[in-house]
Structures are given as structure tokens and as C-alpha cells.
Amino acid sequence: MRTMYCGEVTEANIGQQVELVGWINKQRDLGGVTFLDVRDREGIVQVFFDNDTPEATAIAATVRNEFCIKMKGEVRARPEGQVNKNMTTGGIEIRGLELEILNRAKPSPLDSNQTNSEEQRLRYRYLDLRRPEMAERMVFRSKVSSFVRRFLDDNGFLDVETPILTKATPEGARDYLVPSRTNKGQFFALPQSPQLFKQLLMMSGLDKYYQIVKCFRDEDLRADRQPEFTQIDIETSFMSADEVMDKTEEMVVKLFQEMLDVDLGLFPKMTYAEAMRRFGSDKPDLRIDFELVDVADLLKEVEFNVFSGPANDADSRVAVICVPGGASLSRKNIDEYGKFVNIYGAKGLAWMKVNEAAKGIEGVQSPIAKFLNEEIVAEILKRTEAKDGDIILFGADKANVVAEAIGALRLKVAEDLGLIKDEWKPLWVIDFPMFEPLEDGALTPLHHPFTAPINLTAEELEANPVGAISNAYDMVLNGCELGGGSVRIHKQDMQAAIFRILNISDDEAQDKFGFLLEALQYGTPPHAGLAFGLDRLVMLMTKTTSIREVIAFPKTASAACPLTNAPGFANPAALAELNIAVVKEVKEAKAEKEEAKEG
């Protein structure tokens, strides 16, 4: 029905006849001449109809936005002075010869000025996806997926599918459960990742695996989370952590070169401990120049318990950030930042404005200055490299609270004051702790329970699990975790030791992971892997702020689909066949009872 896409018509086609199909983006009737902007997934082109084609011109006068049309015309250069440099096709226009309306459209429920709520956009997603920027993102995403497949295919990886209906695995979120009709009272779980299956593939001798796969997690949502998301899953046998990092880094570097003409260069490596100390985050944003600076050693003797208490506690921390130009912040701004750090458990936010750094304590303005002396202030100014017009913000609390609160504040202040550089800053974060303590003192894996420790036997690990470092690695870009992976456990005694550390009994381990424990006894090779979040990768590359902008049909923040009204209530007959009963909340049942009485 067409000879090319609308967005592909260029000066090279001048003098040629083309046939196009698409939707009307805009119609302008100038009396005798009608201009149509015709749109498809590749872009927009301007078409005009005049009195030399009266039949087609009459039809053109009747079309409206979103009409689906087919047309034939001759490509011409735009008159001098009318070139639109903001359009790919802005150097040409098409003189229309024939026009056919393939389908009419009701007035669009979406505002063409894009003052639509996200709920509206998702309700009419099929119309929202027609917008050029949305179509561009879908095309871009497709090209990213194609590049990844080509790269991995060319490097000897096999694309192998793994089951969707499977058994629950511990990935840190709730599972989506699917009832079994043939095994009444039993449930499948949708996979949070193909973790165990890709390890089994390594045990099967398929030593280089990949899959672009759907994963499912029932968790609280944020801008970069969805209940179903897409993962670039990679697993290898007989490759070290460094070899896996080198190969996946090569893939991402080449992806950015091909898709964005950006050279990411070599990725620096940073330990988890260093990242938490300098940035308060295990996914540091290196585009921001200022870092967390420890000052506890200077404040142990001050008569201000807010500082001296944490300064003398081995489990606590006192750290500052020096924000360039931050002295311009009003007291109201600072109070708002104080409320912001409360979200992360911090009790408050102390501050010091640097008016004249050369004057030391006489050149600063702060409600806490009276608790400090000349030497302390001078050393704080020196460590932070503070300059006139800066502000120093203090965090004093348990070490994890300071890291989270001041680390998050660093990002927020930098964004608010425009201090985030417009560049790409990748790195690897390595050497994560194996475990982190819960409030009740129990241990939980920082990544997952199939991650191997570095240079420890099973006995050594059980003797000191808190001090163990995992052979794990995360790829981070601009403060966002692109992907994470690890060397996996390939020996049965080590896997059993980790289950014991996690208080997973032998019976529970057999019930949940018996097949894995058994497989580990049949010559399992050393293996390692990494998984990228495809949605998050595309979000970053297209510089959007939410993965919902790069997924064709995403869910809302409440995990609902306005387009299809999912989730919905199940047919009672289907539930009965599954031996499932829906138990109503007491309040709901009472309300229905009252309604029945009134009726």
C-alpha cells in the first residue's frame, strides 16, 4: 500500500512519485490549497493539495486529526524560506495527486497539546503511542533489543527460553501466583528472574546463555519499577567475574556507540565500601562533583550531643556534603531539606553557610557554630574544599541512616540547583557484603542466596558470615543500576552452608531447592552471569524519567492497567473449578449486608 514511510522521504526523493499511508497529524485549509501533516511511526511529512487535483483536494478539506489515509504524490523541494529545520523531512513537501480515507476517527480523547494525565494516556495508550516521541521510543527500544541479540549471537551465546510457570524463588519480592486446575490447592509462581534455570543450563553444558525475558515481581512500585518487566539475562560457564564484566561492558559500550554515537570509555571499578563512604549509595551518580566527607573525628569532644553522640559510637557516622553555591538557599529551603531527610530516618539537618572561607569561623553562618571552635571549622572547610557561597550540610546518626539520608540529599540538592553535569558516567561497583542484618538480627543475602563468596570455604563462611564479601558486581550509569550479577555457587557444600546461615532448614531447602542441590552433585562447572534491566537501559538512553515511557503497555503505580481494566474479578465458575474461594473483607461483607436490608 506504500512505497516508503512518511519520515523517510528526503531530498533524495525529489521528482519521484511516492505512495504513503498514515494518520493526519494536522490539517490546514488555506482556501484552494489544503496542507496535511501525515504521520506514521517514522515521522511526519507535509503534503499539499491544490486546484489541479480537485477531487483529492475536496477529500483533503474533509479530513481531521487521526483520520487514517492513503495518498499518492510527487516529492518537491520546499520553497526558499519555508524549510523547517526542526523536521527530518523539513526540506521537502509532497504535492498530493490522490487521496483516500481508509478510516475516519472520532475526536481524540487526548489533548493534542499533551496536557493529558498519565491515567488518560494509559487508558488510550494506542492513541498515545501514535505520538512521534512515543513511536520513536518504541522504535529505539526495538533497535536496542536487536543490537543485544546480534552482539550475543556473534559472541557465541545461545538464546534459550526458560519456563514462565515455575516454582517460587527468593528474589526479595512477593511472587505472583497462578493456581493449578489439575493439582488443586497448588500454585505455580511467575518467575522473578530465570535465576535457577539459567544455572541449570550451565550444569547442562550450554556454557553461554542469554534471554530477553519477562520477569514478574509483586512489589511497591516506583518510576523505575513495574510488576512485569524485561530483563537481558546472561549466564556463562568457565568465565571469571572480570571476564563477565569485560564482555558485558564491551556490549554496552558498543551499544552506546551505535545507537547514540557516545563513547563511554573504560568503566572504573569501585568497591561497595568506598561507594557507601563517598556517596552514601551503592549506585553512585558520578556526574555530581561533591561527595560525603567524614568529620566524626573532629566532633567527639564538642558540647553538642547531636554530633558528639554519633561521633563516639562505632556504629554511627557524622558526614557532610559541601554544596557549591548553596549559600543562596533560604531558611525555608533548608527546612524543606530537613523534612526530606526525615523520610530516611534522619532526625534533622544541621547546616553551615560559607560567606568568606578565608575568615574561618568568622566567615560562616550557622546555628551550630557556637558549639564549634576555630580549629574544627577550619578543618571542616579544608576537608570539604569549601568556597565562598557554598553551604555545608551535616548528617549525624547511625551509619546506614546517614548514608541513605545524606546520599539521597546529595542527589536532590544537585538536581534542584542544576549541579548534575550533562554527561555519561559509568562504573562497576564490586565487593558487596554477602549478607545484611535484619532488625531481628537474622541475616538476609544482599543479592540472592546463590551468590558465591570471595576466597572462602564453606566452613570459613559459616564461622564469620557477617564479614564475608560476595563475588558480585553491579554496572551503574548516572546513578542508576543498569545490571547486576555475580559468580554463582557451584558446589553443594557451599550452597548448603548458605541455606544454614539463612536459617533455611534442610527440609525447607529440599522442598524449595532440592532439584538444585541435587544438580550441584553432578559435576557443576564454575559459572557466573549478569542481568540487565532492558526497560531501565532504554529509559536512560532516551533520557526519560520513567520506564512507563518506554514500555508499550505499562501498568500504573498501583499495578493496574487502565486500558483493559486489569486486574479484574474472576468468573465464579472458574474459581470453583480451581477450588478457590474469594474471602471478602469484613467491612465489605457488612456493607453488602446493610445494602441488602435497605433494599
Side-chain angles (χ1 to χ4, degrees), residues 407-419:
L409 181 64
R410 172 179 174 266
L411 299 178
K412 180 166 178 56
V413 173
E415 183 176 6
D416 291 348
L417 299 184
L419 299 175

Side-chain angles (χ1 to χ4, degrees), residues 474-487:
D474 282 358
M475 183 187 288
V476 177
L477 179 62
N478 292 1
C480 187
E481 180 192 329
L482 280 189
S486 66
V487 173

